[in-house]
Amino acid sequence: MSVDKVKRSEQKTLQIPWAAVVWLIISAFVFVIGGYVVTLRDVERFPGDFELSTEPTDSENTVKADIVAGTFEYNVVPELSNSVETGTFDETTDNPVAANLFENIPDITQVTIEPQTITITYDNDVEPDMYIRRAQRPVINAVLNDGATITSRVASDAEKTLVFMTSDDEWRYGSYVPALIPEGQQEVYETREAGENGSEMAQFIFERINSLQALTINRDSLIVTYREGAVENQVISRLQEALNEFHPRASLQPDLWVFTIAASSERIMDIIPINTGIPLFLYTLVLAGIEFAAFFSLRNSDDKLIRPLLRVVAVFLFFWSIYGHEPLWDFTLGLIFPSSTQLVHPNATVIEFTAQHLELVFVSSLITIPAGLLFGIIVTRDEFRELLPLVNNLVNSGQTVPTIAIVAFMAPIIGFGFWPAIIALVAYGLLPVVRNTIAGLEAVDPFIIDSARGMGLTPSQILFQIELPIASSVIMAGIRTSMIINVGTATLGAFVGSGGLGTPIASGLAMTVDSFILLGAIPAALLAILIDYVLGRIEFVLTPRGLQIEN
Amino acid sequence: MIEFKNVVKQYPNGFRAVDNLNLLVHEGEICVLIGPSGCGKTTSMRMINRLIDISSGEILINGQPNTELPAEELRRQIGYAIQQIGLLPHMTISDNIAIVPRLLKWDEDRIRTRVDELLDLVGLDPDISRDKFPRQLSGGQQQRVGVARALGADPPIMLMDEPFGAVDPITREVLQAEFLQIQERVGKTIIFVTHDIDEAIKMGDRIAIMRDGHLVQYDTPDTILAHPNNRFVRDFVGTDRTLKRLGLIRIKNLMDASPPTCTLDSTVEEAKQCFVDYGAKSVFIVDKDDGTLKGWVDKEELKTNTSLLDAMYEAHWVDIAVRQDATAREALSAMVARGFRVTPVVDRHGKLVGTITLKALQDLVSYDPTSTATTEAVSNVG
């Protein structure tokens, strides 16, 4: 007894509020990362490659490189100058938008373009819903507009006709030239030395091109003087490379990099650096504080409820804000695929995909868990014990059939979308719950039940007060397994259009965009870990304390 | 009072686990059901609280058939303790003990008082044990809690199925002794199932020996040991049943309460006179003030010695005496081991209160004509 006491007091003095320390470390980490990852106002992605055209100048060894174009992505929303020509077009049209649509969407017979509406008539037997999905991307691409603002529907008054509409005033299309520095400014470096101490872009260019002797940076051109004997073409190509290399850095150094839209629009997109980690940083600091407080106020109590649940909520919110932090995903994927022009998915944000994914997992679990518990409880009652092998076989076969096969079977029967995926998930997730419920209930010492009966407990009292509490940890383990399996399996739902994190994976595989695959895979893996953690804590809370004591 | 009337338990396959059992258990008595495995003893016990249904016949509890109440209500009025204890591992000790009181909707204050009282009764400190979980207790402590739980709502009847079967022999003896003390205070009517004849003899006011679903003999332990009904009972109680009988008798009922005594400062003459008065071969020497046994002196020694102190064999009472609350069996064992025909009997402070002779033990059991073998054995040892 006295030895016991000594041990316990020793443990007390050695206790460290690890949770609080971990949150502190995370908050520091978030602050640093958040300083790098910058939310860009007005523009979501920087445009890609530069095109230079060179023209000779009067001075020797000097060339003027004009930036004539930068490509850009459809999810960039620059205001473009040229309105789309309206009218009705057939396959022979030379209207760029219509021609683009004819090229990219099979079996179209006619395209009508109005200021806010594109109507497509097609001729094949594909389901309209499927077809509209197929046509969406080419339409968005063709008019170079923001995907999120285009809505689509199947025309109700005409057969085999799709209607795409924008909430913006008009369709626009065009191209632009990115500007290197704001309008009306100029940077002049007459010597290498000056350039090496100049602006970051100047430093970068001088560092890359050894033969560079003088440089003038205008809004949309560079005037380059190179060393005698250097090959002009090489200088130009190095310049091109340097600019393109500088571009990914722009997202980290937004104050250096300003774009203008060419042609008629002179609007400068202001890019203001924000430490996007600040809210998350503050949140983690508060969590560290709460953990400290909880540590000091609860350390002498046998708290088994407050702290685990507090942590569950805190960890979930933390992960959730990471899911919601689109620039972070952009930044991370940019680190992995520096040369990729497409990083985040154009159709939806990561948090939207994740929310859809969670919806799939939770809705299927809402069916799986009660059904599994019910099956497990019923077949372990004496009256229905003959059903035990039958139910066992049934749930076993549910897991034997590949999910993708169930999905494939369901699609023709009940169509595409959410519910076929749910059916597959339920069929697949039922086994662990049923099996663990049976195992947990069967493992309850029969003598405990005998003594309970002998004391006069009714069968339902025995079930709810004795069998279920004792089996709770085994049952929870089954629920946990089932939900984790479902997080993985739900990605397959994307093949029938259920949404979720499988969508970027599927489109990444179809379009061979590696970053999309990771954009689905990484959050899905994180989600599995997160759900496992949350359920693990819930399991801990639900397991009666008397059962957590080792024999 | 529990009465079995022509009770039969027949299983669907025709096997009769209990066949026409008639048994009357008196109020406040411990009735031990004993017999080899499969004799129907546990089945009979479990039919009382209807954990097993009766096929025909009836069981009367205080004159009422036990089928009158719903099974659950009946069971709440009958304490139930089993060998495997069956404590609920997810509940604290106090919650375990409070199960039946809670089912009976006692108020919490009363339950709390009752739990503490019961923990005290079974020899556990309520302040330490109350909030512990079953897994934190030793096997013996768990058995005590099992007994306390069976006593929870103060039921007049208790069913106990080898309640001390799962602990080591030493703990079992302690628990048995403690339980007998508890029973002295609470006076329950107890059906006690065991397969251990020693336990049956020790615990039972009456023993019901069963075989193949039939009652073979139902009597007090002493009668069963002295007059086994038939060969089966004789074999079952064992060839050492005479020794077992001795185990039932306390020395204090058997001893000679006026032993030949001298004090330490007696003279040799006084001692010699003592030998004459008692006609004994040895005289015990005690302390003059508190009567503690200090040793003994033999007649022969007095002839050669002039001082009593020189003549006496000095020994601590623990080494030469038996306690007055020991059983005759223990006394016999001590005498055989030490080679005494007479051994002093002391109280727990070592005060000499009497003597017991081998002859007295022999006389006790030798009236039984069927136990000649044992009596001979005892004589040979003597």
Side-chain angles (χ1 to χ4, degrees):
Chain A
M1 199 62 202
S2 62
V3 178
D4 229 35
K5 266 181 190 163
V6 170
K7 257 189 191 166
R8 210 173 284 170
S9 64
E10 265 178 6
Q11 279 173 356
K12 280 252 168 70
T13 54
L14 285 175
Q15 270 181 1
I16 293 171
W18 283 116
V21 171
V22 168
W23 280 122
L24 273 183
I25 294 169
I26 290 176
S27 73
F29 197 63
V30 165
F31 188 79
V32 174
I33 295 283
Y36 273 100
V37 183
V38 173
T39 303
L40 306 174
R41 199 177 285 176
D42 271 356
V43 62
E44 288 170 353
R45 291 276 305 123
F46 280 89
D49 306 329
F50 294 90
E51 275 176 45
L52 299 176
S53 78
T54 52
E55 54 183 81
T57 55
D58 297 341
S59 24
E60 243 175 75
N61 295 338
T62 300
V63 68
K64 183 166 181 256
D66 286 317
I67 298 172
V68 290
T71 57
F72 63 86
E73 308 297 325
Y74 41 73
N75 61 333
V76 177
V77 206
E79 286 191 15
L80 296 160
S81 56
N82 306 345
S83 294
V84 174
E85 192 187 335
T86 58
T88 302
F89 307 97
D90 62 12
E91 221 164 323
T92 59
T93 181
D94 55 358
N95 173 297
V97 172
N100 196 332
L101 293 178
F102 277 110
E103 193 180 312
N104 286 304
I105 311 171
D107 305 329
I108 329 183
T109 54
Q110 189 181 298
V111 172
T112 305
I113 301 176
E114 286 157 70
Q116 271 185 273
T117 316
I118 291 179
T119 310
I120 292 173
T121 315
Y122 65 95
D123 180 26
N124 66 18
D125 292 333
V126 180
E127 283 270 318
D129 282 334
M130 275 296 284
Y131 208 73
I132 208 164
R133 210 167 288 149
R134 204 180 285 175
Q136 187 130 20
R137 174 65 44 229
V139 171
I140 293 167
N141 283 347
V143 296
L144 299 167
N145 216 320
D146 175 16
T149 64
I150 293 181
T151 57
S152 55
R153 62 182 168 85
V154 180
S156 50
D157 47 346
E159 225 184 316
K160 296 189 172 179
T161 303
L162 312 173
V163 182
F164 293 86
M165 294 178 72
T166 173
S167 51
D168 292 345
D169 293 343
E170 266 187 316
W171 300 107
R172 291 165 188 282
Y173 73 108
S175 61
Y176 78 108
V177 176
L180 300 175
I181 51 177
E183 177 79 48
Q185 289 184 17
Q186 193 181 39
E187 288 179 24
V188 182
Y189 305 100
E190 283 177 348
T191 61
R192 248 194 106 74
E193 208 177 15
E196 278 162 359
N197 297 312
S199 70
E200 182 140 349
M201 181 159 49
Q203 285 179 20
F204 195 80
I205 293 172
F206 272 101
E207 202 177 287
R208 295 298 155 110
I209 308 169
N210 289 329
S211 56
L212 198 60
Q213 292 203 306
L215 174 70
T216 304
I217 306 176
N218 291 321
R219 191 177 70 90
D220 58 358
S221 67
L222 300 158
I223 297 160
V224 186
T225 307
Y226 51 90
R227 202 191 303 129
E228 211 170 331
V231 182
E232 186 184 297
N233 281 349
Q234 263 181 10
V235 174
I236 298 295
S237 71
R238 297 298 288 278
L239 193 61
Q240 178 101 47
E241 274 170 30
L243 281 177
N244 286 342
E245 254 179 74
F246 191 72
H247 148 247
R249 288 160 52 92
S251 64
L252 300 184
Q253 307 288 343
D255 49 333
L256 285 175
W257 203 233
V258 183
F259 283 71
T260 61
I261 304 298
S264 62
S265 168
E266 289 293 314
R267 200 173 77 100
I268 291 173
M269 283 181 247
D270 297 321
I271 297 162
I272 295 160
I274 305 164
N275 184 340
T276 55
I278 291 286
L280 199 53
F281 164 71
L282 292 176
Y283 171 66
T284 47
L285 267 193
V286 169
L287 285 181
I290 292 174
E291 280 289 353
F292 267 120
F295 175 75
F296 285 111
S297 62
L298 297 175
R299 68 166 158 184
N300 289 326
S301 73
D302 277 345
D303 161 54
K304 188 170 141 356
L305 187 69
I306 301 171
R307 265 182 297 185
L309 291 185
L310 186 87
R311 281 176 197 164
V312 162
V313 173
V315 170
F316 185 83
L317 286 181
F318 177 76
F319 271 82
W320 201 241
S321 40
I322 287 194
Y323 279 118
H325 196 4
E326 200 69 4
L328 178 71
W329 294 105
D330 187 87
F331 171 70
T332 313
L333 292 172
L335 288 181
I336 303 171
F337 305 107
S339 60
S340 175
T341 52
Q342 290 177 306
L343 294 177
V344 291
H345 201 272
N347 279 18
T349 54
V350 177
I351 200 166
E352 283 166 354
F353 285 132
T354 313
Q356 290 168 357
H357 205 84
L358 271 185
E359 195 185 347
L360 283 171
V361 172
F362 278 123
V363 171
S364 65
S365 297
L366 273 183
I367 302 170
T368 309
I369 294 169
L373 282 176
L374 203 65
F375 281 145
I377 290 170
I378 286 176
V379 297
T380 50
R381 299 305 96 189
D382 288 340
E383 298 85 351
F384 298 101
R385 202 167 274 273
E386 306 109 75
L387 296 178
L388 187 68
L390 180 74
V391 168
N392 252 334
N393 286 340
L394 216 63
V395 292
N396 270 326
S397 63
Q399 198 153 45
T400 318
V401 181
T403 326
I404 193 79
I406 300 178
V407 168
F409 275 129
M410 288 303 156
I413 299 170
I414 62 171
F416 287 84
F418 188 71
W419 290 105
I422 291 293
I423 290 174
L425 290 181
V426 168
Y428 212 61
L430 209 51
L431 173 75
V433 180
V434 174
R435 199 171 44 191
N436 277 43
T437 306
I438 293 174
L441 291 176
E442 299 266 84
V444 177
D445 188 344
F447 294 114
I448 289 177
I449 294 172
D450 180 62
S451 75
R453 282 185 66 209
M455 284 185 290
L457 276 81
T458 61
S460 72
Q461 283 170 331
I462 291 176
L463 174 66
F464 288 105
Q465 292 177 21
I466 297 172
E467 293 187 85
L468 286 179
I470 291 177
S472 64
S473 61
V474 180
I475 294 175
M476 269 307 290
I479 290 174
R480 211 163 140 183
T481 313
S482 161
M483 285 185 78
I484 299 304
I485 289 178
N486 275 2
V487 171
T489 319
T491 52
L492 293 175
F495 289 104
V496 285
S498 67
L501 288 166
T503 311
I505 296 178
S507 63
L509 289 171
M511 297 158 64
T512 63
V513 181
D514 291 346
S515 60
F516 288 179
I517 299 174
L518 283 195
L519 193 69
I522 296 173
L526 266 185
L527 195 64
I529 296 170
L530 177 64
I531 288 185
D532 187 54
Y533 172 78
V534 168
L535 293 177
R537 293 283 82 188
I538 292 177
E539 181 185 325
F540 175 75
V541 171
L542 286 184
T543 305
R545 190 195 301 280
L547 297 176
Q548 281 160 351
I549 297 163
E550 294 297 316
N551 277 337
Chain B
M1 196 177 73
I2 303 168
E3 194 177 357
F4 285 73
K5 274 190 172 171
N6 305 320
V7 171
V8 174
K9 175 65 197 178
Q10 183 161 12
Y11 285 102
N13 62 7
F15 172 68
R16 284 193 166 201
V18 177
D19 197 359
N20 210 27
L21 178 68
N22 285 290
L23 186 71
L24 184 74
V25 181
H26 297 281
E27 186 124 20
E29 274 192 2
I30 299 180
C31 166
V32 178
L33 299 182
I34 191 167
S37 300
C39 69
K41 54 189 191 293
T42 299
T43 309
S44 305
M45 185 201 80
R46 289 164 69 89
M47 282 192 288
I48 296 172
N49 66 355
R50 286 167 56 199
L51 284 170
I52 293 177
D53 291 325
I54 305 171
S55 303
S56 74
E58 59 180 354
I59 296 175
L60 303 178
I61 296 174
N62 294 329
Q64 306 289 322
N66 71 345
T67 46
E68 259 187 10
L69 285 173
E72 274 88 18
E73 262 177 62
L74 173 79
R75 289 172 196 155
R76 287 169 199 177
Q77 296 171 7
I78 299 176
Y80 186 63
I82 55 176
Q83 179 184 356
Q84 299 80 3
I85 317 171
L87 294 182
L88 306 183
H90 60 298
M91 291 187 186
T92 60
I93 298 308
S94 64
D95 286 339
N96 264 290
I97 296 174
I99 289 173
V100 180
R102 290 222 167 97
L103 288 173
L104 296 172
K105 307 218 162 31
W106 288 18
D107 66 63
E108 283 300 316
D109 281 343
R110 187 175 166 205
I111 291 177
R112 208 168 308 125
T113 325
R114 178 70 182 156
V115 167
D116 287 1
E117 188 184 305
L118 284 170
L119 284 173
D120 248 349
L121 187 70
V122 297
L124 293 170
D125 183 344
D127 292 328
I128 296 172
S129 321
R130 203 185 290 127
D131 295 323
K132 282 197 172 173
F133 288 98
R135 287 184 185 173
Q136 291 168 306
L137 299 185
S138 70
Q141 288 171 320
Q142 291 190 21
Q143 295 277 18
R144 287 162 200 245
V145 175
V147 170
R149 186 173 70 170
L151 287 165
D154 205 8
I157 297 170
M158 304 242 296
L159 307 181
M160 308 182 89
D161 189 353
E162 303 193 33
F164 311 126
V167 289
D168 61 275
I170 294 170
T171 313
R172 187 183 312 150
E173 292 216 353
V174 173
L175 287 174
Q176 285 167 346
E178 285 182 357
F179 184 74
L180 284 176
Q181 284 174 8
I182 292 172
Q183 166 66 359
E184 248 169 61
R185 287 165 59 184
V186 296
K188 304 290 182 194
T189 308
I190 295 169
I191 307 285
F192 192 107
V193 169
T194 183
H195 62 258
D196 174 1
I197 187 68
D198 291 315
E199 186 172 58
I201 292 164
K202 185 165 180 186
M203 305 297 289
D205 292 316
R206 276 170 216 278
I207 298 176
I209 298 181
M210 293 182 69
R211 181 193 192 185
D212 298 338
H214 296 277
L215 185 63
V216 182
Q217 187 169 7
Y218 180 46
D219 226 320
T220 59
D222 193 51
T223 318
I224 283 186
L225 289 172
H227 306 290
N229 256 2
N230 55 26
R231 201 184 157 75
F232 170 74
V233 177
R234 197 156 54 230
D235 289 348
F236 193 79
V237 296
T239 46
D240 61 342
R241 62 198 162 87
T242 310
L243 282 178
K244 283 175 179 150
R245 277 191 70 208
L246 289 176
L248 292 173
I249 297 154
R250 304 270 161 208
I251 292 289
K252 63 179 160 198
N253 303 324
L254 212 62
M255 68 185 181
D256 176 1
S258 48
T261 315
C262 287
T263 57
L264 277 176
D265 51 1
S266 300
T267 59
V268 175
E269 279 62 41
E270 283 171 328
K272 279 181 176 163
Q273 186 58 44
C274 198
F275 278 107
V276 175
D277 291 349
Y278 286 92
K281 286 182 181 158
S282 306
V283 166
F284 299 103
I285 314 290
V286 300
D287 188 273
K288 186 166 70 107
D289 301 319
D290 55 12
T292 314
L293 182 64
K294 290 295 180 188
W296 79 94
V297 63
D298 286 340
K299 212 173 183 175
E300 279 70 32
E301 295 295 325
L302 280 182
K303 290 176 184 156
T304 51
N305 283 294
T306 50
S307 151
L308 189 61
L309 285 179
D310 290 342
M312 76 178 276
Y313 295 97
E314 201 174 344
H316 193 271
W317 59 268
V318 172
D319 299 324
I320 54 170
V322 294
R323 298 261 296 265
Q324 61 173 347
D325 52 0
T327 62
R329 185 176 173 161
E330 287 165 317
L332 177 65
S333 164
M335 280 190 269
V336 171
R338 294 165 193 160
F340 294 171
R341 288 175 170 274
V342 179
T343 194
V345 179
V346 294
D347 70 5
R348 60 199 184 90
H349 304 294
K351 182 172 178 261
L352 183 69
V353 292
T355 56
I356 181 106
T357 59
L358 200 53
K359 184 86 172 42
L361 296 179
Q362 236 170 304
D363 291 346
L364 178 74
V365 289
S366 61
Y367 72 85
D368 181 358
T370 59
S371 65
T372 44
T374 321
T375 326
E376 277 163 23
V378 174
S379 327
N380 290 343
V381 172

